[in-house]
Amino acid sequence: MDEPPAQPQEYLDVLTKTGQNTRVRKLRGDVHRDGDYHRAVHVWIYSESTNELLLQKRADCKDSWPGQWDISSAGHISAGDSSLITARRELQEELGVNLPEDAFELLFVFLQECIINDGNYINNEYNDVYLVTTIAPIPLEAFSLQESEVSAVKYISCDEYKSLLAKDDPDYVPYDVNGQYGELFNYIAQRYKENVEERSLALQRQLNRYAPIPLSAELGGISDSDKEALVLVLKAAMIMDDIFHQQVCASNPALRDWLKEHADTSPLNKLKWKYFGINKSPWSCLDENQAFLSTADSAIIMHSHATKLVSGWKGLEYKAAFPLAKSPGANFYPSDMDKLEFELWKNSLSEDERQEAMGFFNVIKRHSGVTDTPSDGGNADQSIHDLYCVPFSQEYWSYLTKASELLYKAAELTSFSNLKKLLYSKADAFLSNDYYDSDIAWMELDSKLDVTIGPYETYEDALFGYKATFEAFIGVRDDDATAKLKLFGDNLLVLEQNLPMKDTFKSKDVTAAPIRVIQLLYNAGDVKGPQTVAFNLPNDERIVKDRGTSMVMLKNVSEAKFKHILFPIAEGCISKEQQELVDFDSFFTHTICHECCHGIGPHSIVLPDGRKSTVRLELQELHSALEEAKADIVGLWALNFFISQNLLPSSLCKSMYVSFLAGCFRSVRFGLDEAHGKGQALQFNWLFEKEAFILHPDGRFSVDFDKVEDAVESLCRQILTIQATGDKIAASSLLEKYCKITNPLRLALDKLESAEVPVDITPTFTTANQLLHGRP
């Protein structure tokens, strides 16, 4: 008679005491014998309508806590396996519940350290604690219990369960509800015992930080055929919103649709929808991405085949989950992937594959997460081979094919030859995933209608800064303002050669940067929270090296921000003697220089060891904040340089510095989780430390004109050198020291909040709306 096949032995990754993976793997039994730190998952099923948690009774044969009531589902994370895949697998194996990834909300990581079984079982375990929120209890007969793990299940009220744990009831696996594990009960209680009036007031206060501003543009001289093309481009731009919502978080589109559908059911729901519309996610941009919604506010999803069928029961309904803490990798990477796993995988690839993995235009996925059936786990080499790239053209195929069709039709209608070329090439790029030619066409655009559409900025990828988000800016070119700005684009090489850094770091290949000034008609996609006043694109280092960059200035947005935000800031925070030096020309001119200076300085670099690389790849998640600080401070240096060369009037000499000081308070209010806010805090604190900015006893600030020039140049040199050498350690040290809300900054921010000065604007697009609704 044949013997049954031997069960595969389970290996676990050994961690350090602080939770870092040592890359050592040991048998599960040896790990608990030796007290090694390791990882596991806890999955709680919570019934929203009854305020109950599902418990399982551990099988009598278990080597830890046999016969006691415990978590809904739990299990070790096998060597090479991932957290979320393990959570799904354990729930399916132990209880017969098969749910997709968007049902699982990661609440926190819990370190359990204990010794049981007379010292023979040492449990030093980092547990990823997940919550699955169902609308109602799952019928007990719907579960399929794994006899070797689970002997029974039951629901129990949260309050009763917490009380039993607090009393150390011997029938229940012990957890310290007064310690970290008490967070589980706190999260649930906070979500479902909200005061509607208080929450409404809190959301209204958050909304009040944005001044609603109508934006319009004159369409005189644009033919009917071009207006028809414009309508099609606007419709394509709206699709960028759909893609961006998906890029932020997997459950974000369902949340958006749910909030929109229910916005008119109560005043609170209307406020939720309005503030979501500004942030395009459940995380508040101005509050360092603190969640203003929870999974309790999210969409209800029906999964009729999550368990075995039960007569008279329609199936399992759950809430589409999202974490309270925004994932640094957004939805570009598996939510449970860490940097080490990515680096190990990347290093196993060929050079071309590595470049693709770090590229702008793809997402990273798991082979083990492709199907709805969780993997078996336990493969020691799985982490290296589990990840793979999916191009945007495939990941967002349904959206991009529609956008491509619209751009093709618009190209056929427009009379502007440059615009026709851009629209055709961008339509092709959406399908081919090759954006090089379309970005060149964008740089060469010379049209009354100005169109920027596609994947560009990488701010949303806070894990590495590799992946680009989709966005759109549609406007009408301001020909008079554009003509006045030729000076800046034509002198980029002169600026490069005079930058305050070593000559060996300077490029000789800088080309003139075309500058276009537009009146913004419409924007979409990655335009959440604070609105940009300008942008410098593309970010693709190949094009920057070959052709440089182009910049677009949004004049009507700049005018709105100056009038409604910067001028009131100056009245509240700048000394009386220097207030009159804050003017729109200085603000707008520095914005131009900021965008110009994205195109100069280090981009493609040679590292000290001789390797060729780019600043973005070397600084990774630190690149965006440091690059924004560089563009800002070098832009200020550039203005002074232009004045010294008699290319700009000397009247700007003082006003540019005072307007910049007022602008520091404006940008820092965006929050230190945002690249511009972080970069601005760095600059303010550096200049304040060098006594270039002065705080007076009355709580107002001024510029010391004798010290500011040297202070600006010293910071330029510091940042440019870090970028040129690709020194991530130095970048981290600089940002850690200066990117903080110091007492002087706090004083200014509190004053502005008390005066209820708006932090930013939220535009409504009157001209675009008229076009989309068929009104001339």
Side-chain angles (χ1 to χ4, degrees):
M1 181 176 179
D2 292 336
E3 294 184 5
Q7 292 296 314
Q9 293 181 306
E10 184 179 15
Y11 284 83
L12 305 181
D13 286 319
V14 175
L15 311 181
T16 66
K17 189 171 183 178
T18 57
Q20 303 303 307
N21 196 325
T22 66
R23 310 312 300 171
V24 173
R25 289 165 172 176
K26 294 173 64 172
L27 287 168
R28 176 182 179 276
D30 294 346
V31 164
H32 285 290
R33 178 197 66 199
D34 300 337
D36 295 312
Y37 287 82
H38 58 284
R39 296 180 68 203
V41 296
H42 290 182
V43 181
W44 292 94
I45 295 180
Y46 171 72
S47 167
E48 189 176 72
S49 63
T50 59
N51 190 34
E52 292 178 316
L53 288 166
L54 179 77
L55 302 185
Q56 65 159 267
K57 191 172 187 180
R58 297 173 66 84
D60 291 335
C61 60
K62 295 291 291 180
D63 55 5
S64 58
W65 298 285
Q68 291 181 289
W69 290 99
D70 197 7
I71 304 158
S72 308
S73 176
H76 292 95
I77 300 177
S78 299
D81 233 342
S82 71
S83 171
L84 186 53
I85 295 296
T86 300
R88 295 180 63 207
R89 181 177 65 243
E90 293 297 330
L91 196 60
Q92 194 275 332
E93 289 180 352
E94 293 184 355
L95 303 183
V97 179
N98 187 11
L99 287 172
E101 292 184 5
D102 70 349
F104 294 79
E105 177 185 359
L106 179 63
L107 293 181
F108 54 87
V109 179
F110 166 64
L111 175 58
Q112 186 176 32
E113 297 174 298
C114 62
I115 302 175
I116 59 173
N117 298 351
D118 298 323
N120 295 316
Y121 190 97
I122 306 173
N123 196 46
N124 291 322
E125 197 166 76
Y126 279 92
N127 297 284
D128 291 347
V129 180
Y130 290 93
L131 184 68
V132 172
T133 301
T134 65
I135 305 306
I138 301 169
L140 298 186
E141 58 268 35
F143 294 104
S144 300
L145 305 185
Q146 186 179 17
E147 294 182 1
S148 61
E149 298 283 340
V150 184
S151 61
V153 292
K154 70 175 182 179
Y155 276 98
I156 186 171
S157 76
C158 290
D159 292 339
E160 181 183 357
Y161 181 47
K162 184 178 180 181
S163 176
L164 291 168
L165 292 178
K167 296 174 183 176
D168 295 323
D169 190 296
D171 290 335
Y172 295 81
V173 175
Y175 294 101
D176 182 7
V177 294
N178 295 314
Q180 187 185 8
Y181 220 92
E183 290 182 35
L184 169 69
F185 300 96
N186 294 338
Y187 279 129
I188 293 172
Q190 184 176 354
R191 288 179 184 184
Y192 295 99
K193 294 181 181 178
E194 68 175 9
N195 182 303
V196 172
E197 183 177 355
E198 288 180 5
R199 191 171 181 197
S200 297
L201 289 172
L203 279 170
Q204 189 62 62
R205 284 193 295 270
Q206 290 176 304
L207 278 164
N208 289 345
R209 294 177 296 181
Y210 290 91
I213 303 295
L215 292 181
S216 60
E218 290 295 326
L219 297 179
I222 295 177
S223 68
D224 289 343
S225 178
D226 283 308
K227 287 180 182 177
E228 288 182 51
L230 177 56
V231 170
L232 294 171
V233 172
L234 290 171
K235 290 179 179 179
M238 295 168 72
I239 295 174
M240 301 303 105
D241 253 348
D242 294 324
I243 299 175
F244 178 67
H245 279 99
Q246 184 174 330
Q247 289 185 303
V248 172
C249 174
S251 59
N252 206 36
L255 174 62
R256 174 201 59 191
D257 295 344
W258 180 266
L259 292 174
K260 183 178 181 180
E261 181 184 347
H262 292 81
D264 293 329
T265 59
S266 74
L268 175 58
N269 285 341
K270 185 177 288 292
L271 290 171
K272 291 178 187 177
W273 170 238
K274 287 179 69 175
Y275 200 53
F276 179 91
I278 290 174
N279 293 279
K280 302 196 177 187
S281 81
W283 301 285
S284 175
C285 298
L286 293 182
D287 299 297
E288 299 187 359
N289 286 323
Q290 180 179 346
F292 61 93
L293 300 172
S294 75
T295 297
D297 300 302
S298 193
I300 297 175
I301 308 293
M302 164 61 75
H303 198 320
S304 57
H305 300 291
T307 66
K308 65 183 179 183
L309 299 178
V310 174
S311 177
W313 182 54
K314 61 182 179 179
L316 191 155
E317 289 182 302
Y318 68 90
K319 288 289 185 75
F322 54 86
L324 288 176
K326 185 179 181 183
S327 172
N331 198 25
F332 297 119
Y333 309 91
S335 60
D336 55 357
M337 185 203 80
D338 59 21
K339 298 184 80 168
L340 177 61
E341 181 184 359
F342 181 88
E343 294 293 346
L344 288 170
W345 168 65
K346 183 189 76 176
N347 292 338
S348 73
L349 303 174
S350 67
E351 178 59 29
D352 287 345
E353 289 171 332
R354 275 197 294 272
Q355 292 303 317
E356 182 185 12
M358 297 183 293
F360 291 106
F361 311 125
N362 59 63
V363 298
I364 308 301
K365 296 205 166 190
R366 293 191 186 281
H367 289 293
S368 56
V370 171
T371 67
D372 284 337
T373 303
S375 67
D376 291 335
N379 183 348
D381 294 324
Q382 182 173 332
S383 63
I384 293 180
H385 303 292
D386 195 29
L387 302 176
Y388 68 103
C389 294
V390 178
F392 282 174
S393 55
Q394 179 180 332
E395 179 71 1
Y396 311 120
W397 180 85
S398 62
Y399 295 126
L400 291 176
T401 51
K402 179 61 176 174
S404 179
E405 291 171 6
L406 290 166
L407 294 187
Y408 270 126
K409 292 177 181 177
E412 292 170 357
L413 288 169
T414 184
S415 63
F416 300 110
S417 59
N418 281 151
L419 180 59
K420 187 183 293 287
K421 178 181 177 182
L422 170 63
L423 296 177
Y424 277 135
S425 61
K426 191 65 70 174
D428 289 339
F430 283 164
L431 303 182
S432 69
N433 214 52
D434 183 352
Y435 286 88
Y436 189 94
D437 289 342
S438 69
D439 282 343
I440 295 294
W442 177 83
M443 293 182 67
E444 296 173 345
L445 182 62
D446 181 12
S447 164
K448 187 68 175 177
L449 293 179
D450 200 277
V451 176
T452 302
I453 186 168
Y456 286 107
E457 303 291 6
T458 61
Y459 303 123
E460 199 69 20
D461 179 3
L463 196 63
F464 291 109
Y466 293 158
K467 307 305 176 188
T469 49
F470 282 81
E471 62 185 21
F473 293 88
I474 315 301
V476 178
R477 189 175 63 189
D478 186 325
D479 292 320
D480 291 339
T482 297
K484 294 176 182 177
L485 301 184
K486 194 170 185 295
L487 156 76
F488 298 95
D490 288 349
N491 282 278
L492 285 190
L493 182 58
V494 177
L495 288 177
E496 176 78 24
Q497 296 308 312
N498 285 277
L499 285 173
M501 65 177 179
K502 291 182 179 179
D503 288 342
T504 54
F505 297 151
K506 296 175 182 176
S507 173
K508 295 180 175 59
D509 300 323
V510 175
T511 56
I515 305 175
R516 310 194 295 262
V517 180
I518 69 170
Q519 303 292 340
L520 184 66
L521 267 174
Y522 186 77
N523 65 16
D526 188 2
V527 291
K528 60 185 174 63
Q531 298 293 295
T532 188
V533 295
F535 49 88
N536 184 290
L537 297 172
N539 290 318
D540 188 332
E541 291 91 352
R542 300 172 303 164
I543 300 177
V544 174
K545 183 179 179 181
D546 295 344
R547 300 287 297 270
T549 59
S550 290
M551 61 197 74
V552 176
M553 317 295 300
L554 314 180
K555 191 171 184 182
N556 52 350
V557 177
S558 295
E559 290 168 338
K561 290 202 178 202
F562 182 83
K563 177 180 178 182
H564 295 279
I565 298 165
L566 197 67
F567 190 73
I569 286 175
E571 288 184 318
C573 293
I574 304 300
S575 65
K576 297 288 188 182
E577 304 78 41
Q578 293 189 358
Q579 276 184 20
E580 65 181 16
L581 294 172
V582 178
D583 60 43
F584 178 74
D585 282 346
S586 298
F587 170 64
F588 191 61
T589 306
H590 177 257
T591 302
I592 297 166
C593 271
H594 170 108
E595 296 305 330
C596 284
C597 290
H598 277 306
I600 62 174
H603 290 279
S604 296
I605 58 176
V606 179
L607 300 175
D609 62 6
R611 288 185 298 114
K612 293 183 178 180
S613 187
T614 68
V615 178
R616 180 178 66 89
L617 293 181
E618 294 305 314
L619 299 190
Q620 295 182 335
E621 76 279 5
L622 306 180
H623 172 253
S624 292
L626 203 65
E627 175 61 22
E628 289 304 325
K630 181 220 54 180
D632 240 9
I633 200 69
V634 174
L636 196 57
W637 168 87
L639 285 177
N640 188 61
F641 176 80
F642 281 140
I643 292 169
S644 71
Q645 301 298 305
N646 297 317
L647 295 172
L648 285 177
S650 58
S651 59
L652 286 172
C653 194
K654 291 185 177 181
S655 63
M656 67 181 188
Y657 289 122
V658 183
S659 297
F660 178 84
L661 171 58
C664 287
F665 303 130
R666 180 183 73 88
S667 297
V668 167
R669 297 176 84 199
F670 298 161
L672 298 191
D673 269 10
E674 195 269 347
H676 299 80
K678 190 178 292 184
Q680 200 72 71
L682 161 60
Q683 294 167 83
F684 175 88
N685 289 326
W686 179 284
L687 296 176
F688 188 85
E689 180 182 87
K690 304 298 183 187
E691 299 180 348
F693 292 162
I694 301 167
L695 173 59
H696 298 283
D698 64 356
R700 294 176 179 270
F701 295 81
S702 67
V703 176
D704 186 327
F705 298 114
D706 293 327
K707 295 180 179 179
V708 69
E709 185 176 332
D710 288 343
V712 167
E713 185 167 318
S714 67
L715 181 54
C716 289
R717 183 175 291 105
Q718 180 86 355
I719 293 175
L720 290 167
T721 301
I722 288 172
Q723 290 185 321
T725 55
D727 191 341
K728 188 176 182 182
I729 294 175
S732 179
S733 177
L734 183 69
L735 292 169
E736 184 176 346
K737 180 176 180 181
Y738 291 100
C739 289
K740 56 183 68 173
I741 301 298
T742 53
N743 288 334
L745 275 177
R746 174 53 57 200
L747 177 68
L749 297 182
D750 288 346
K751 181 180 292 189
L752 295 173
E753 185 175 354
S754 298
E756 297 184 348
V757 175
V759 176
D760 208 72
I761 65 170
T762 178
T764 54
F765 300 106
T766 54
T767 305
N769 288 333
Q770 289 170 359
L771 286 167
L772 288 167
H773 290 90
R775 297 193 298 273

